[in-house]
Amino acid sequence: MGFSKCVYVATSLVDMYGKCGALEDAERVFDGMAEKNDVAWNSMIVTYTQNGMNEEAIGSFREMRLQGVEVTSVALSGFFTACANLEAVGEGRQGHGLAVVGGLELDNVLGSSVMNFYFKVGLVEEAEVVFGNMVMKDVVTWNLVVSGYVQFGLVGKALEMCHMMREENLRFDCVTLSSLLAVAADTRDVGLGMKAHAYCIKNDFECDVVVSSGIVDMYAKCGRMDCARRVFSCARKKDIVLWNTMLAACAEQGLSGEALKLLFQMQLESVPPNVVSWNSVIFGFFKNGQVAVARNMFAEMCSSGVVPNLITWTTAMCGLAQNDLGCDAMMVFREMQDVGIRPNSMSITSALTGCTNMALLKCGRAIHGYVMRHDMSQSLHITTSVMDMYAKCGSLDDAKCVFNMCSTKELPVYNAMISAYASHGQAREALALFKQLEKEGIVPDHITLTSVLSACSHGGLVKEGMEVFKYMVSELQMKPSEEHYGCLVKLLANDGQLDEALRTILTMPSHPDEHILGSLLAACGQNHDIELADYIAKWLLKLDPDNSGNYVALSNVYATVGKWDKVSNIRGLMKEKGLRKIPGRSWIEVGQELHVFIASDRSHPKTDEIYVTLDLLGFEMRYAKYSPYIQY
């Protein structure tokens, strides 16, 4: 038709085809152009970016430069968007350099594109520098900075930016308010959330469904479900996003029944649930331990024509693992692959959690094999989960092997290995690794110190444990958490230093929890200190009167000194309160079969052989003059 000879018409065609998603037609017109000016190249780069063809956008930008075409703000904006989407840090930095060398003004369009790139690749300080150098800033620019700060949890800076916007006489829009509501939700600051809500009402922003969804989410996360329901009910327009926000709020709060009612209600109001809606309902039932109902919801979702996505499968795996159904979680892991969905890092860690909870070492090894075959071992989260699985399944050597294979050992990897040593009672090895970590110039965190103190507690290294605690406070200037005090109390109590353990509890900046008091109570039994046991027991039972474990622990203390009348009194008190001890459970994997046992269990087909073996072990213990600590 001869349009290819007119650069303006051809460029308009490229732009039109790109916006309509007809990429092949856009490329055909562009390739057929006899002459390509900077506007034509701009259109092609932007077309690639708009259609998610980020690598092609970067390639076109490079080709444009090789052709000697002048770099414009529009081309660079498209280039920065592509770099941000691909997290191409090097290329993006080069683009910024081109803008500076070319003397391009950082106006609200180009400056916002550069800032967006830096925020998306996590370079916050560079984004701040760009913002400071911008010659023109509109509301979009300010919103970009606020949302960037919110994304990285820099709440104080986000609020400071909002104050500066007001000082510049800029009005908040829907994007600003959505960011403010996200800050209030993440910090659980209901006061800030209410102020943002009031601003929305005053300026008629409530009709915006994105803002309404943010308000509902904020109230739900702040524990004000009554306000969340009121905002949802009063919304003039309820789209799928608002329905899904309310569904997610109910699920997170454990209101699975209410979430199910909402699912039915939205269908009655002609809003068909999508996969996000179903995922929230399934998650809610799993969270409440209603596994059978969650599975029924999964089946109903499939029968309704909604195809489960990666999040659905991961939610199912995670829910099953958390409800001690590790074998079932592994079956779901296999099923999702059978239907063509490739697991991500969250799916892998959920499956590993199932293996860890049920000590399914063979299944854990199979997942580790999958990670190695699919080159996923670079993920820090997966690596630490694999190490944790091996350690908790009893294979410390495999955990060491994974640790040694890590090319770059960051703090979480060290933490996982120190924790593994601690759980296996290898306190010396844990301390040695702690010292190695410091030699590498890595600063330990609260998790590191908890693991090291726990290792010292398990290994009876009182002197070393006390030194670590002092080092944490004086050298690292860390404020000890309740976990750190708990380890210290257990360390002292297990060494028989009950008075010092009690003194530590009494000087804690916060009230001790039941775990700390419980460890001291157990030590009282081992050291036959009935007077202190009575004192701690009164404190413990006042703190947590309905926990059967506390009564059993006190009963065990009396049993060690033969005070059977008091043991009987405690058992009677438990019966009177309707409390029952949850029976202990253990399991072992033999071949492909998992064998589960509970206290006084006689249901296993080989019960007679098992009890004969136990009797033989008891005989050998007595022959070796070993006196075990017996809990009744």
Side-chain angles (χ1 to χ4, degrees):
M1 295 176 67
F3 287 141
S4 60
K5 293 181 180 179
C6 179
V7 66
Y8 303 107
V9 174
T11 299
S12 297
L13 285 169
V14 170
D15 185 58
M16 181 272 293
Y17 281 131
K19 287 176 178 174
C20 292
L23 194 60
E24 290 182 6
D25 292 324
E27 288 176 325
R28 193 177 298 113
V29 172
F30 182 78
D31 292 338
M33 290 174 70
E35 179 190 351
K36 300 184 182 85
N37 62 8
D38 59 342
V39 180
W41 282 101
N42 291 347
S43 293
M44 198 63 234
I45 292 167
V46 172
T47 290
Y48 278 133
T49 305
Q50 287 174 341
N51 288 274
M53 309 290 284
N54 300 301
E55 291 178 1
E56 288 78 0
I58 292 173
S60 287
F61 184 82
R62 286 175 178 154
E63 183 63 27
M64 180 188 77
R65 292 195 63 218
L66 289 172
Q67 296 291 331
V69 179
E70 184 183 357
V71 175
T72 66
S73 295
V74 177
L76 274 170
S77 294
F79 176 73
F80 282 123
T81 301
C83 291
N85 293 338
L86 292 173
E87 296 185 5
V89 179
E91 289 85 347
R93 283 185 183 276
Q94 289 171 20
H96 189 191
L98 282 172
V100 173
V101 171
L104 295 174
E105 200 173 64
L106 289 176
D107 56 14
N108 51 359
V109 176
L110 180 59
S112 295
S113 297
V114 181
M115 272 202 307
N116 178 59
F117 157 71
Y118 280 128
F119 272 126
K120 279 200 172 178
V121 297
L123 299 173
V124 178
E125 290 182 5
E126 283 82 347
E128 290 174 330
V129 171
V130 172
F131 180 76
N133 291 333
M134 285 178 67
V135 292
M136 287 177 13
K137 299 167 187 170
D138 58 9
V139 176
V140 175
T141 312
W142 286 88
N143 284 342
L144 185 61
V145 180
V146 173
S147 61
Y149 283 144
V150 172
Q151 177 190 343
F152 288 97
L154 301 169
V155 175
K157 287 191 172 186
L159 291 174
E160 186 183 339
M161 277 291 151
C162 289
H163 288 308
M164 289 173 68
M165 282 181 73
R166 300 296 290 162
E167 288 172 3
E168 294 285 331
N169 294 319
L170 290 168
R171 283 172 58 83
F172 292 166
D173 63 6
C174 295
V175 179
T176 323
L177 288 163
S178 294
S179 296
L180 271 174
L181 289 164
V183 168
D186 293 341
T187 58
R188 306 301 189 262
D189 188 345
V190 72
L192 173 63
M194 283 180 167
K195 288 177 184 176
H197 186 190
Y199 187 94
C200 293
I201 295 170
K202 191 176 179 180
N203 294 275
D204 199 28
F205 282 121
E206 270 196 315
C207 56
D208 186 285
V209 289
V210 176
V211 172
S212 295
S213 298
I215 295 169
V216 170
D217 181 61
M218 178 274 296
Y219 279 128
K221 286 181 177 171
C222 291
R224 294 296 303 272
M225 281 300 292
D226 54 334
C227 296
R229 291 187 189 99
R230 197 177 305 123
V231 172
F232 177 77
S233 300
C234 294
R236 282 172 269 178
K237 182 184 176 184
K238 296 187 182 82
D239 68 349
I240 188 68
V241 176
L242 186 56
W243 280 100
N244 284 344
T245 303
M246 194 64 205
L247 275 168
C250 292
E252 285 287 349
Q253 296 295 321
L255 304 170
S256 52
E258 188 173 340
L260 186 58
K261 287 178 184 177
L262 279 171
L263 189 75
F264 294 139
Q265 186 184 337
M266 67 189 293
Q267 294 173 75
L268 291 172
E269 296 190 20
S270 301
V271 182
N274 61 10
V275 66
V276 178
S277 319
W278 285 100
N279 286 348
S280 293
V281 175
I282 292 167
F283 169 78
F285 282 116
F286 271 126
K287 186 175 183 178
N288 277 356
Q290 297 167 283
V291 177
V293 185
R295 282 173 156 166
N296 288 340
M297 287 294 105
F298 188 96
E300 195 172 324
M301 170 187 177
C302 297
S303 62
S304 70
V306 179
V307 180
N309 62 8
L310 177 62
I311 295 172
T312 319
W313 289 99
T314 304
T315 300
M317 264 194 299
C318 190
L320 290 166
Q322 288 173 351
N323 285 281
D324 293 335
L325 295 167
C327 295
D328 293 24
M330 279 303 300
M331 287 175 64
V332 171
F333 182 70
R334 295 189 189 102
E335 284 173 25
M336 72 182 289
Q337 294 172 72
D338 291 341
V339 298
I341 294 181
R342 182 174 176 176
N344 63 1
S345 60
M346 186 66 184
S347 314
I348 297 290
T349 51
S350 295
L352 285 167
T353 299
C355 297
T356 303
N357 291 346
M358 298 300 292
L360 302 173
L361 182 58
K362 287 189 177 180
C363 292
R365 281 201 173 112
I367 295 172
H368 187 198
Y370 178 93
V371 168
M372 299 294 286
R373 288 193 303 275
H374 292 83
D375 196 28
M376 299 175 77
S377 54
Q378 296 302 314
S379 167
L380 197 65
H381 196 40
I382 290 176
T383 300
T384 53
S385 295
V386 170
M387 290 169 63
D388 185 59
M389 178 275 298
Y390 278 130
K392 288 178 179 174
C393 287
S395 185
L396 187 61
D397 287 341
D398 284 322
K400 285 184 198 174
C401 185
V402 175
F403 176 79
N404 292 331
M405 285 173 65
C406 286
S407 53
T408 54
K409 295 181 178 68
E410 296 182 41
L411 181 60
V413 178
Y414 274 103
N415 285 348
M417 195 64 233
I418 292 170
S419 176
Y421 280 132
S423 62
H424 281 257
Q426 297 195 13
R428 298 286 180 192
E429 288 80 357
L431 280 169
L433 196 57
F434 177 62
K435 289 174 183 174
Q436 182 185 325
L437 173 151
E438 291 187 300
K439 284 180 183 177
E440 296 289 333
I442 300 172
V443 180
D445 61 7
H446 281 80
I447 298 171
T448 321
L449 274 303
T450 301
S451 297
V452 174
L453 288 169
S454 176
C456 293
S457 176
H458 284 301
L461 304 179
V462 181
K463 181 185 173 185
E464 291 85 348
M466 293 296 292
E467 287 174 355
V468 168
F469 191 86
K470 288 174 184 175
Y471 170 75
M472 175 181 68
V473 176
S474 58
E475 297 291 327
L476 298 177
Q477 294 186 338
M478 280 188 188
K479 187 179 178 181
S481 67
E482 207 163 69
E483 287 83 359
H484 297 137
Y485 277 112
C487 292
L488 185 62
V489 168
K490 193 171 183 181
L491 177 72
L492 294 167
N494 288 348
D495 191 53
Q497 300 183 43
L498 302 185
D499 291 340
E500 191 61 36
L502 179 61
R503 195 175 294 112
T504 301
I505 289 174
L506 295 173
T507 55
M508 281 175 61
S510 60
H511 294 294
D513 63 11
E514 61 271 18
H515 301 294
I516 295 175
L517 295 173
S519 64
L520 182 54
L521 181 60
C524 289
Q526 293 168 356
N527 290 274
H528 307 296
D529 191 334
I530 301 302
E531 186 180 347
L532 181 58
D534 285 334
Y535 173 74
I536 295 295
K538 287 176 184 176
W539 194 352
L540 189 57
L541 295 178
K542 186 178 179 181
L543 181 69
D544 194 8
D546 297 323
N547 186 343
S548 62
N550 297 334
Y551 294 90
V552 173
L554 183 58
S555 173
N556 288 332
V557 172
Y558 289 135
T560 57
V561 293
K563 290 187 175 290
W564 301 110
D565 54 334
K566 291 200 173 185
V567 170
S568 179
N569 289 340
I570 290 173
R571 298 291 178 176
L573 184 60
M574 285 181 67
K575 191 174 181 181
E576 185 182 312
K577 285 179 169 283
L579 300 175
R580 292 184 62 188
K581 181 188 175 186
I582 300 170
R585 185 175 60 158
S586 61
W587 53 84
I588 186 171
E589 187 180 12
V590 180
Q592 298 294 320
E593 193 174 355
L594 192 71
H595 301 265
V596 182
F597 303 93
I598 61 171
S600 305
D601 189 6
R602 301 196 71 90
S603 61
H604 196 276
K606 294 189 176 180
T607 293
D608 292 338
E609 295 176 45
I610 291 168
Y611 276 97
V612 166
T613 305
L614 279 173
D615 288 339
L616 287 171
L617 284 171
F619 175 77
E620 289 186 19
M621 287 166 68
R622 287 191 293 273
Y623 182 75
K625 296 182 179 179
Y626 175 74
S627 179
Y629 172 60
I630 301 170
Q631 289 191 335
Y632 295 89

